[in-house]
Structures are given as C-alpha cells and as structure tokens.
Amino acid sequence: MKPISGKQLAHLLEKKGWELKRVKGSHNVYAKPDNIARLSIPIHGNQPLKIGLLKHLMKLTDIKEVEL
C-alpha cells in the first residue's frame, strides 16, 4: 500500500464530497451529509499516516487502494 500524508487524504476526501466541519489542533474533522461517520484526520505536515489508520479510514469512506 502506498503511504500518503494526512493532507493528501484530506484532499481526496473533499473531492469525494466530505466536508471539513472543524479543526482542533492538528486534526481535521470531516463529515458527509448521508453518512453518520465523523472522520478525524491527523495533519502532521507531510508525514505519512500509519498503515492501520489509513486502512481504517479507507474502509469507513469506501476508498479503494487504486484511488490513492
């Protein structure tokens, strides 16, 4: 799996219709009107997200690995 940063994932989520609801420290919280899930994306510069967190967020948002 290709490692991506929190910034890159946030940009992909916005293209998929997720809206930035709030920013608390270094975490951006996203929501989608037709989805009850709230996603907290850590934005730590260009550091890649940990693989486990990335897989979990991909599962919640129905993002496939080929879209990364």
Side-chain angles (χ1 to χ4, degrees):
M1 176 174 286
K2 177 180 138 186
I4 65 170
S5 70
K7 284 182 186 179
Q8 292 169 321
L9 182 61
H11 183 68
L12 181 61
L13 288 175
E14 289 174 4
K15 287 200 301 192
K16 292 241 176 221
W18 290 82
E19 299 174 357
L20 178 64
K21 291 297 181 181
R22 66 181 177 272
V23 176
K24 178 140 182 159
S26 62
H27 290 72
N28 292 1
V29 178
Y30 285 88
K32 196 170 186 180
D34 61 342
N35 195 327
I36 63 170
R38 296 288 183 265
L39 305 176
S40 178
I41 310 296
I43 309 290
H44 297 138
N46 287 324
Q47 289 183 345
L49 295 173
K50 304 262 178 149
I51 295 298
L53 175 62
L54 180 57
K55 285 183 179 183
H56 177 71
L57 293 171
M58 287 172 56
K59 184 178 177 181
L60 289 175
T61 58
D62 294 327
I63 293 176
K64 307 295 182 233
E65 189 172 345
V66 294
E67 296 178 69
L68 299 179

